[in-house]
Amino acid sequence: MARTGGRSHIMCVPPEITDTDMILSELVDRYEKALGNESE
């Protein structure tokens, strides 16, 4: 994305499973859940 100046970032309406924001959101959710399980 750095090479294209952000032009390679694509979002669709309605969202598709391959959208980068969907992937990032899922990674953050999993990371937060992993941190939550660690403290128990």
Side-chain angles (χ1 to χ4, degrees), residues 22-38:
M22 295 290 286
I23 295 168
L24 181 60
S25 174
E26 182 65 25
L27 286 174
V28 170
D29 287 344
R30 290 181 186 201
Y31 180 73
E32 289 176 345
K33 286 178 186 175
L35 288 178
N37 290 338
E38 209 171 86

Side-chain angles (χ1 to χ4, degrees), residues 11-23:
M11 292 177 59
C12 298
V13 177
E16 293 180 7
I17 196 67
T18 57
D19 287 346
T20 53
D21 59 327
M22 295 290 286
I23 295 168

